[in-house]
Amino acid sequence: MDTLHTVLRSIRGDVKPQRDHLDVFREFLDHLDRAAKRRSPPRTTKAARGKGRARRPRSG
């Protein structure tokens, strides 16, 4: 299989240089950081949202 890959690489000629995996990982972390900063403020809890509504009594 290694021979096949070597032959295919030699036939293709110009190959894009591979990006360093650490650079890709750092870019991924940067995207996560930016997405977290853009995220909307946390939602209110269920208890705070339900205060304005009347509760229905349970049957049983």
Side-chain angles (χ1 to χ4, degrees):
M1 197 57 134
D2 291 333
T3 307
L4 173 64
H5 289 277
T6 305
V7 170
L8 289 175
R9 266 187 251 126
S10 68
I11 292 173
R12 280 202 314 188
D14 287 337
V15 178
K16 290 183 181 177
Q18 294 291 327
R19 291 182 63 190
D20 183 30
H21 65 280
L22 289 176
D23 289 338
V24 173
F25 185 66
R26 285 185 189 113
E27 185 178 339
F28 170 72
L29 290 177
D30 185 47
H31 282 283
L32 284 179
D33 190 40
R34 279 189 261 148
K37 288 178 183 175
R38 276 195 312 245
R39 207 174 108 196
S40 61
R43 294 182 183 175
T44 59
T45 61
K46 283 185 178 181
R49 285 188 295 185
K51 284 185 178 179
R53 298 183 196 161
R55 290 185 108 174
R56 212 170 27 159
R58 290 187 180 183
S59 59

